[in-house]
Amino acid sequence: MLPVCPQGELVTLKVAAEKNSYLNAVNGARSVGRTCGQHGYYPAVTPLQWSDELYRASYEHNVDMVESNFFSHDGSGSDTDWTAQIMELGRGSSANERIKNNGVPTKYSISENLASVSSSLPAVMNGLLASDGHCVNIMDSTKQFMGMARLGNKWGQTFYSVN
């Protein structure tokens, strides 16, 4: 296993107060069938389990986006892109690389939702569910685990299933 982000233990402590609200928001959305725009109707699906590894990957990416002042699924490749630095990528990290660096097993399927808004959790969830692709990621019945983090106005959700 590769090392985790430098603030891993602090991040894990911080998540205790937040993770239940994040998990409940996503599982609440998954508990009701909904139409995801052009992708059609998705029936209610089983609840996800929380993953601290996915939380750390999301938090790490949020720190990178805030500190480097950008918004993208790819990391900045700068000093604040911890995975890029640890893995010596010479470029920005991908979501796959961030979750691997934070301890997720190597055989997995992932999806990632990002939002850049200063808003409440319910408002962010409503916005993500109103976006076709983000809605599909939330309602994906193959996903088993999730992590979600917020830093400033950056929100990240990562979902994965073991293949």
Side-chain angles (χ1 to χ4, degrees):
M1 176 176 15
L2 296 169
V4 297
C5 65
Q7 286 78 12
E9 289 183 32
L10 294 175
V11 169
T12 301
L13 292 174
K14 181 181 180 223
V15 75
E18 299 171 338
K19 74 178 183 179
N20 286 335
S21 61
Y22 295 160
L23 186 62
N24 289 339
V26 172
N27 282 335
R30 289 170 60 90
S31 72
V32 177
R34 66 185 66 249
T35 300
C36 294
Q38 66 181 354
H39 300 286
Y41 181 79
Y42 283 73
V45 291
T46 58
L48 297 167
Q49 296 176 48
W50 184 262
S51 166
D52 281 338
E53 294 84 2
L54 294 178
Y55 173 86
R56 286 193 304 264
S58 292
Y59 183 82
E60 168 189 334
H61 191 49
N62 288 350
V63 168
D64 185 28
M65 289 190 294
V66 167
E67 294 295 318
S68 297
N69 195 30
F70 77 104
F71 184 73
S72 172
H73 287 281
D74 294 322
S76 68
S78 72
D79 291 345
T80 61
D81 187 345
W82 299 323
T83 293
Q85 299 307 310
I86 290 167
M87 296 177 84
E88 299 178 347
L89 297 174
R91 58 168 170 73
S93 63
S94 69
N96 281 320
E97 290 160 337
R98 288 188 296 274
I99 69 166
K100 181 178 180 183
N101 183 49
N102 281 282
V104 173
T106 57
K107 298 208 182 239
Y108 51 79
S109 169
I110 72 157
S111 54
E112 179 181 64
N113 288 342
L114 300 176
S116 183
V117 294
S118 295
S119 198
S120 66
L121 177 59
V124 167
M125 286 299 299
N126 287 337
L128 291 171
L129 290 167
S131 167
D132 298 3
H134 295 109
C135 178
V136 169
N137 288 344
I138 291 168
M139 297 302 293
D140 185 344
S141 65
T142 67
K143 297 303 187 262
Q144 301 161 303
F145 303 92
M146 73 158 286
M148 182 173 176
R150 176 188 187 183
L151 184 64
N153 70 338
K154 305 295 188 220
W155 297 77
Q157 295 176 325
T158 309
F159 306 95
Y160 88 99
S161 57
V162 179
N163 289 341

